[in-house]
Amino acid sequence: QVQLVESGGGLVQAGGSLRLSCAASGRTFSPYAMGWFRQAPGKAREIVARIRWSGGTPYYADSVKGRFTMSRDGAKNTVYLQMNSLKPEDTAIYYCAAQLVTMTDFGSWGQGTQVTVSS
């Protein structure tokens, strides 16, 4: 069983930065991919970024490209989302997710962390 715990959310002014962390626990953690998603009030959940655990260039949603950076630390079973130049429209609950090798899509989710960007 994989458990994902996000941290690092908070309140920040527009133009500011936050770094989210997602730590995975479990006996052996070697997913196919990890992703960051977000859900704003009244809106559907959307993908923000994803990265293959084996490496490679991360994928970013157009809305965050050039401002957000996703990275991983295999030794710590942790992924990060560095968010710069934050905008009020980035306000949402951010979720970390794992796509295990037995899954065809992201199927393990964290509890989410709130990010609020004030104008």
Side-chain angles (χ1 to χ4, degrees), residues 18-42:
L18 283 174
R19 189 176 83 151
L20 305 183
S21 300
C22 172
S25 62
R27 274 196 164 187
T28 304
F29 185 70
S30 183
Y32 172 73
M34 295 292 295
W36 284 101
F37 293 76
R38 67 186 181 186
Q39 187 166 20

Side-chain angles (χ1 to χ4, degrees), residues 11-66:
L11 173 64
V12 64
Q13 288 188 331
S17 299
L18 283 174
R19 189 176 83 151
L20 305 183
S21 300
C22 172
S25 62
R27 274 196 164 187
T28 304
F29 185 70
S30 183
Y32 172 73
M34 295 292 295
W36 284 101
F37 293 76
R38 67 186 181 186
Q39 187 166 20
K43 295 188 177 181
R45 185 175 61 197
E46 62 176 356
I47 189 167
V48 175
R50 66 171 182 262
I51 189 171
R52 289 185 180 179
W53 198 247
S54 60
T57 303
Y59 161 85
Y60 297 100
D62 287 343
S63 58
V64 306
K65 203 171 292 183

Side-chain angles (χ1 to χ4, degrees), residues 3-117:
Q3 289 187 322
L4 304 175
V5 179
E6 302 99 333
S7 61
L11 173 64
V12 64
Q13 288 188 331
S17 299
L18 283 174
R19 189 176 83 151
L20 305 183
S21 300
C22 172
S25 62
R27 274 196 164 187
T28 304
F29 185 70
S30 183
Y32 172 73
M34 295 292 295
W36 284 101
F37 293 76
R38 67 186 181 186
Q39 187 166 20
K43 295 188 177 181
R45 185 175 61 197
E46 62 176 356
I47 189 167
V48 175
R50 66 171 182 262
I51 189 171
R52 289 185 180 179
W53 198 247
S54 60
T57 303
Y59 161 85
Y60 297 100
D62 287 343
S63 58
V64 306
K65 203 171 292 183
R67 301 186 297 122
F68 290 12
T69 303
M70 183 176 184
S71 60
R72 59 177 282 279
D73 185 332
K76 296 182 178 180
N77 287 347
T78 300
V79 292
Y80 305 96
L81 186 68
Q82 178 66 44
M83 305 186 294
N84 298 329
S85 302
L86 283 161
K87 304 175 181 180
E89 50 263 44
D90 293 319
T91 295
I93 299 175
Y94 283 70
Y95 298 91
C96 170
Q99 179 183 353
L100 305 183
V101 293
T102 55
M103 298 175 177
T104 56
D105 202 346
F106 290 97
S108 293
W109 295 85
Q111 82 288 351
T113 185
Q114 177 71 47
V115 171
T116 303
V117 184

